[in-house]
Amino acid sequence: MSYLTEKEIFQRTELLIGSDALARLRQLRVIIFGVGGVGSWCAESLVRSGIGSLTIVDSDHVCASNINRQLMATTETVGLAKVDVLRQRLLTINPSAEIIPLQRRFNAETADSFDLAGYDYIIDAIDSLKDKMLLIEMACDTKAQFFSSMGAARKMDPTHIQVDEFWKVHGDPLARTLRKRFNQQGRLPSRKFQCVFSDELLPNQGAPTDTVNGTLAHITAIFGFMLAGQVIKDAVARCSQKT
């Protein structure tokens, strides 16, 4: 079906947002850090909405425990690099999109290799607390619009998922820990940014573990879709302001 044109693929998108906004989405450069349970669904939603250039960053390979919640994780993709499998899927949605897979971790050693200033939108779906803090700091120092995902584990009720400014996020242990660490270091993000979060927190009912929490696909997917929604809403609004 690769003979389909972008006009055909995005006709319903154009009907809602208009031709100018759709053209703007094609021009945007977006980068997602972490394409697991949240980031993979965010990536799919962005490409289905018409984003023309998407960079996906993740160092991991698909494993069996990913299958319950990650878009590209199936029994046939276990062992493959997440960014490569996801790229293949995204290109089946829009073969004309520029999908750049970077199979490496964002951390203090690699941070300078990412040209964050070259993107219009930066999306944080990182699990590591230390790496997440670094990305928040660096992204806030750019002119790019920045959106971050808080914790999506130990949740079941999608009606608790919401969006708010980082310092106003409530009921989320990850946000609380991040704020505490920032305050302890005396080095706060240079500007405000919006977060997707849920104030629900359930106990794990299975065998206890110190490092892993239970997760469900409908929650991680909605987190990802809401991140994508923030990008699309912001981009369309900016396009409207220029016309």
Side-chain angles (χ1 to χ4, degrees), residues 129 132-133 136 148-155 164-185 188-189 193 195-202 213:
L129 184 67
K132 197 177 196 74
M133 290 182 66
I136 289 172
S148 180
S149 171
M150 295 296 104
R154 295 170 60 187
K155 306 180 191 303
D164 210 336
E165 197 276 318
F166 173 64
W167 295 98
K168 296 180 180 179
V169 171
H170 58 277
D172 180 273
L174 176 56
R176 184 166 56 248
T177 300
L178 286 168
R179 290 193 294 255
K180 181 179 179 180
R181 294 281 183 91
F182 279 127
N183 282 314
Q184 287 175 339
Q185 294 179 9
L188 306 182
F193 59 94
C195 300
V196 176
F197 73 100
S198 168
D199 59 7
E200 179 186 32
L201 191 64
L202 302 174
N213 285 308

Side-chain angles (χ1 to χ4, degrees), residues 39-53:
S40 60
W41 297 99
C42 179
E44 167 124 348
S45 183
L46 289 173
V47 172
R48 287 189 184 274
S49 298
I51 292 296
S53 178

Side-chain angles (χ1 to χ4, degrees), residues 26-132:
R26 292 193 184 102
Q27 298 168 357
L28 293 177
R29 299 190 70 225
V30 181
I31 186 167
I32 302 177
F33 288 91
V35 291
V38 173
S40 60
W41 297 99
C42 179
E44 167 124 348
S45 183
L46 289 173
V47 172
R48 287 189 184 274
S49 298
I51 292 296
S53 178
L54 181 64
T55 300
I56 49 178
V57 183
D58 200 302
S59 63
D60 289 344
H61 293 75
V62 177
C63 64
S65 63
N66 300 151
I67 295 174
N68 84 314
R69 70 195 183 283
Q70 298 186 12
L71 176 70
M72 64 285 169
T74 71
T75 56
E76 295 181 351
T77 61
V78 170
L80 301 178
K82 290 182 180 180
V83 292
D84 291 338
V85 179
L86 182 57
R87 178 179 183 272
Q88 292 175 10
R89 174 174 173 88
L90 297 177
L91 288 176
T92 65
I93 296 168
N94 181 12
S96 298
E98 178 186 44
I99 310 297
I100 303 171
L102 299 180
Q103 190 188 0
R104 60 179 184 264
R105 180 175 176 175
F106 177 89
N107 56 27
E109 287 70 40
T110 65
D112 289 340
S113 68
F114 297 94
D115 181 22
L116 296 185
Y119 294 93
D120 300 291
Y121 291 89
I122 300 170
I123 299 173
D124 158 42
I126 293 177
D127 292 329
S128 165
L129 184 67
K130 184 177 180 180
D131 298 341
K132 197 177 196 74

Side-chain angles (χ1 to χ4, degrees), residues 203-214:
N204 289 313
Q205 299 295 334
T209 172
D210 294 331
T211 59
V212 179
N213 285 308

